[in-house]
DNA sequence: GATGGGTAAGTGTATACACACGTATCGTCG
DNA sequence: CGACGATACGTGTGTATACACTTACCCATC
């Protein structure tokens, strides 16, 4: 009865896809979540933490911790805003470089995923070291 | 370009659905993940940790930690096996009670989710306290 | 019965996730 | 100006997740 629980299915799928993408992104030194935060900042430009978290569909406090590790890596920085309450996040140059360096790995992960979804038998190769 | 990343989409969806189910399960004192472990054990009977983790699509070591908290709650226990390497997990009576008590909340969460998916306007009520 | 390869599971570490709660700033209204 | 609600954000805590490494046990072969 609980066999078709959409919550379990969604979590299982997210875990599997995350492992897949992480395997390709790992050699570039970042994880799927970090990649998505950097990509979102690249698209939006400097963005307040709350707004960014909302756009990514995650809790604001979760983004706070993720941002802390990304800031430790030097990939993002906190800007000052007119509104003293806001602490907008922005990509640094290093962050943009890391994102660009990871893009090919992301694309390859995406391709392999598509091939697997079509049942392509030759598409189960693992990422190059 | 990265806007349609299936990894981000899957994670976002899993987070949203998890929050939804957690909101209904919280009054019963358990979380979506714990519910799925209990339900899996109820279906399978006593199961080795590796096999159970594999069935749920998560890493073996992740299940080790989840099992620790469930065991602390008294909902599952570790049996002895002929093969001394195996440490099969099994539902306790308390675990079966907790699972049964949570089933209505799980069903309601499922119903609301279905209604929302169909755009039913009256289906956005939150779980009763 | 030793030994060595294979299998089941645990531990160390780091990130991901979110609820409850607290803090600081803004804007408005008296 | 001062009080107050609203807004943006951080912290404390606990669970979830997985990789790298380690431990314990089984079995077959010598």
């Amino acid at each position: 009865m609980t066999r078709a629980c959409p919550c379990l299915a969604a979590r299982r799928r997210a875990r599997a896809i995350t492992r897949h993408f992480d395997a390709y992104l790992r050699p570039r030194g970042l994880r799927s979540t970090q990649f998505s935060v950097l990509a979102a900042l690249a698209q939006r430009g400097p963005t307040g933490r709350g707004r960014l978290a909302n756009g990514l569909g995650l809790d604001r406090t979760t983004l706070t911790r993720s941002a802390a590790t990304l800031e430790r890596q030097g990939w993002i920085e906190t800007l000052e805003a007119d509104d003293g309450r806001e602490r907008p996040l922005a990509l640094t140059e290093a962050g943009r470089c890391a994102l660009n360096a990871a893009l090919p790995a992301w694309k390859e992960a995406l391709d392999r995923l598509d091939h697997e979804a079509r049942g392509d038998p030759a598409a189960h190769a693992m990422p190059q070291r």
Side-chain angles (χ1 to χ4, degrees), chain A:
Chain A
M1 183 220 317
T2 55
R3 200 172 285 270
C5 177
C7 184
L8 173 57
R11 292 183 70 89
R12 187 204 307 262
R13 178 168 172 76
R15 283 191 296 256
I17 296 192
T18 300
R19 281 194 296 262
H20 175 80
F21 274 82
D22 276 352
Y24 286 85
L25 291 175
R26 192 184 326 278
R28 299 284 107 76
L30 38 68
R31 303 187 172 205
S32 304
T33 306
Q34 303 172 341
F35 180 85
S36 63
V37 172
L38 296 183
L41 278 177
Q43 284 179 347
R44 296 160 175 262
T47 311
R49 284 153 156 79
R51 203 175 306 274
L52 185 60
N54 203 52
L56 291 167
L58 46 79
D59 191 86
R60 181 183 53 77
T61 64
T62 300
L63 184 66
T64 293
R65 325 284 173 147
S66 295
T69 79
L70 290 174
E71 207 159 10
R72 229 185 305 129
Q73 305 266 345
W75 291 337
I76 66 175
E77 61 185 344
T78 300
L79 304 182
E80 293 195 2
D82 290 343
D83 187 333
R85 294 167 299 184
E86 279 190 17
R87 301 167 52 74
L89 293 171
L91 266 188
T92 61
E93 265 314 301
R96 197 171 298 274
C97 287
L99 179 59
N100 286 335
L103 260 182
W106 174 79
K107 272 183 198 152
E108 182 167 356
L110 184 58
D111 283 347
R112 298 262 191 226
L113 192 70
D114 287 343
H115 286 148
E116 284 186 24
R118 291 198 198 93
D120 186 338
H124 289 269
M126 271 294 101
Q128 76 295 346
R129 258 286 159 211

